[in-house]
PDB file of all heavy atoms in Angstrom:
ATOM      1  N   VAL B  67      21.471 156.827  86.441  1.00 93.00           N
ATOM      2  CA  VAL B  67      20.145 156.766  87.185  1.00 93.00           C
ATOM      3  C   VAL B  67      19.988 158.023  87.935  1.00 93.00           C
ATOM      4  O   VAL B  67      20.855 158.440  88.690  1.00 93.00           O
ATOM      5  CB  VAL B  67      20.128 155.598  88.129  1.00 93.00           C
ATOM      6  CG1 VAL B  67      18.769 155.450  88.885  1.00 93.00           C
ATOM      7  CG2 VAL B  67      20.381 154.278  87.403  1.00 93.00           C
ATOM      8  N   ILE B  68      18.873 158.718  87.740  1.00 93.00           N
ATOM      9  CA  ILE B  68      18.535 159.961  88.383  1.00 93.00           C
ATOM     10  C   ILE B  68      17.083 159.966  88.792  1.00 93.00           C
ATOM     11  O   ILE B  68      16.264 159.507  88.074  1.00 93.00           O
ATOM     12  CB  ILE B  68      18.932 161.188  87.517  1.00 93.00           C
ATOM     13  CG1 ILE B  68      18.962 162.482  88.380  1.00 93.00           C
ATOM     14  CG2 ILE B  68      18.072 161.304  86.328  1.00 93.00           C
ATOM     15  CD1 ILE B  68      19.687 163.594  87.672  1.00 93.00           C
ATOM     16  N   GLU B  69      16.786 160.535  89.983  1.00 92.00           N
ATOM     17  CA  GLU B  69      15.449 160.587  90.468  1.00 92.00           C
ATOM     18  C   GLU B  69      15.037 161.970  90.787  1.00 92.00           C
ATOM     19  O   GLU B  69      15.919 162.790  91.287  1.00 92.00           O
ATOM     20  CB  GLU B  69      15.386 159.792  91.742  1.00 92.00           C
ATOM     21  CG  GLU B  69      15.614 158.274  91.547  1.00 92.00           C
ATOM     22  CD  GLU B  69      15.507 157.474  92.924  1.00 92.00           C
ATOM     23  OE1 GLU B  69      15.491 158.093  93.957  1.00 92.00           O
ATOM     24  OE2 GLU B  69      15.586 156.286  92.847  1.00 92.00           O
ATOM     25  N   GLY B  70      13.789 162.369  90.345  1.00 91.00           N
ATOM     26  CA  GLY B  70      13.413 163.682  90.556  1.00 91.00           C
ATOM     27  C   GLY B  70      11.860 163.788  90.425  1.00 91.00           C
ATOM     28  O   GLY B  70      11.155 162.787  90.388  1.00 91.00           O
ATOM     29  N   VAL B  71      11.341 165.002  90.420  1.00 92.00           N
ATOM     30  CA  VAL B  71       9.961 165.264  90.297  1.00 92.00           C
ATOM     31  C   VAL B  71       9.672 166.002  88.984  1.00 92.00           C
ATOM     32  O   VAL B  71      10.476 166.860  88.547  1.00 92.00           O
ATOM     33  CB  VAL B  71       9.472 166.163  91.515  1.00 92.00           C
ATOM     34  CG1 VAL B  71       8.058 166.535  91.398  1.00 92.00           C
ATOM     35  CG2 VAL B  71       9.715 165.461  92.794  1.00 92.00           C
ATOM     36  N   VAL B  72       8.594 165.652  88.367  1.00 92.00           N
ATOM     37  CA  VAL B  72       8.219 166.192  87.029  1.00 92.00           C
ATOM     38  C   VAL B  72       7.768 167.652  87.217  1.00 92.00           C
ATOM     39  O   VAL B  72       6.941 167.938  88.122  1.00 92.00           O
ATOM     40  CB  VAL B  72       7.127 165.337  86.389  1.00 92.00           C
ATOM     41  CG1 VAL B  72       6.593 165.954  85.129  1.00 92.00           C
ATOM     42  CG2 VAL B  72       7.602 163.943  86.159  1.00 92.00           C
ATOM     43  N   ARG B  73       8.324 168.536  86.304  1.00 92.00           N
ATOM     44  CA  ARG B  73       7.844 169.917  86.321  1.00 92.00           C
ATOM     45  C   ARG B  73       7.787 170.393  84.887  1.00 92.00           C
ATOM     46  O   ARG B  73       8.755 170.128  84.148  1.00 92.00           O
ATOM     47  CB  ARG B  73       8.824 170.825  87.096  1.00 92.00           C
ATOM     48  CG  ARG B  73       8.346 172.275  87.256  1.00 92.00           C
ATOM     49  CD  ARG B  73       9.220 173.075  88.005  1.00 92.00           C
ATOM     50  NE  ARG B  73      10.501 173.363  87.189  1.00 92.00           N
ATOM     51  CZ  ARG B  73      11.506 174.108  87.647  1.00 92.00           C
ATOM     52  NH1 ARG B  73      11.518 174.567  88.900  1.00 92.00           N
ATOM     53  NH2 ARG B  73      12.581 174.299  86.875  1.00 92.00           N
ATOM     54  N   SER B  74       6.762 171.017  84.506  1.00 91.00           N
ATOM     55  CA  SER B  74       6.598 171.549  83.080  1.00 91.00           C
ATOM     56  C   SER B  74       7.553 172.619  82.816  1.00 91.00           C
ATOM     57  O   SER B  74       7.727 173.489  83.689  1.00 91.00           O
ATOM     58  CB  SER B  74       5.108 171.838  82.892  1.00 91.00           C
ATOM     59  OG  SER B  74       4.999 172.402  81.529  1.00 91.00           O
ATOM     60  N   VAL B  75       8.051 172.658  81.568  1.00 89.00           N
ATOM     61  CA  VAL B  75       8.925 173.760  81.185  1.00 89.00           C
ATOM     62  C   VAL B  75       8.104 175.059  80.805  1.00 89.00           C
ATOM     63  O   VAL B  75       8.392 176.114  81.244  1.00 89.00           O
ATOM     64  CB  VAL B  75       9.790 173.354  80.012  1.00 89.00           C
ATOM     65  CG1 VAL B  75      10.642 174.549  79.518  1.00 89.00           C
ATOM     66  CG2 VAL B  75      10.711 172.193  80.424  1.00 89.00           C
ATOM     67  N   LYS B  76       7.109 174.811  79.990  1.00 83.00           N
ATOM     68  CA  LYS B  76       6.206 175.948  79.619  1.00 83.00           C
ATOM     69  C   LYS B  76       4.840 175.741  80.156  1.00 83.00           C
ATOM     70  O   LYS B  76       4.615 175.619  81.317  1.00 83.00           O
ATOM     71  CB  LYS B  76       6.261 176.061  78.082  1.00 83.00           C
ATOM     72  CG  LYS B  76       7.646 176.319  77.506  1.00 83.00           C
ATOM     73  CD  LYS B  76       7.695 176.395  75.985  1.00 83.00           C
ATOM     74  CE  LYS B  76       9.084 176.664  75.417  1.00 83.00           C
ATOM     75  NZ  LYS B  76       9.075 176.697  73.975  1.00 83.00           N
ATOM     76  N   GLU B  77       3.871 175.601  79.214  1.00 87.00           N
ATOM     77  CA  GLU B  77       2.507 175.338  79.591  1.00 87.00           C
ATOM     78  C   GLU B  77       2.257 173.791  79.800  1.00 87.00           C
ATOM     79  O   GLU B  77       2.971 173.006  79.157  1.00 87.00           O
ATOM     80  CB  GLU B  77       1.507 175.892  78.645  1.00 87.00           C
ATOM     81  CG  GLU B  77       1.671 175.383  77.229  1.00 87.00           C
ATOM     82  CD  GLU B  77       0.806 176.026  76.210  1.00 87.00           C
ATOM     83  OE1 GLU B  77       0.293 177.126  76.552  1.00 87.00           O
ATOM     84  OE2 GLU B  77       0.572 175.405  75.171  1.00 87.00           O
ATOM     85  N   THR B  78       1.338 173.521  80.645  1.00 91.00           N
ATOM     86  CA  THR B  78       0.979 172.147  80.873  1.00 91.00           C
ATOM     87  C   THR B  78      -0.151 171.635  80.073  1.00 91.00           C
ATOM     88  O   THR B  78      -0.863 172.490  79.472  1.00 91.00           O
ATOM     89  CB  THR B  78       0.711 171.943  82.414  1.00 91.00           C
ATOM     90  OG1 THR B  78      -0.356 172.765  82.764  1.00 91.00           O
ATOM     91  CG2 THR B  78       1.916 172.232  83.235  1.00 91.00           C
TER      92      THR B  78
END
Side-chain angles (χ1 to χ4, degrees):
V67 180
I68 192 165
E69 298 178 352
V71 177
V72 174
R73 187 182 71 181
S74 177
V75 175
K76 299 179 181 178
E77 58 184 20
T78 58

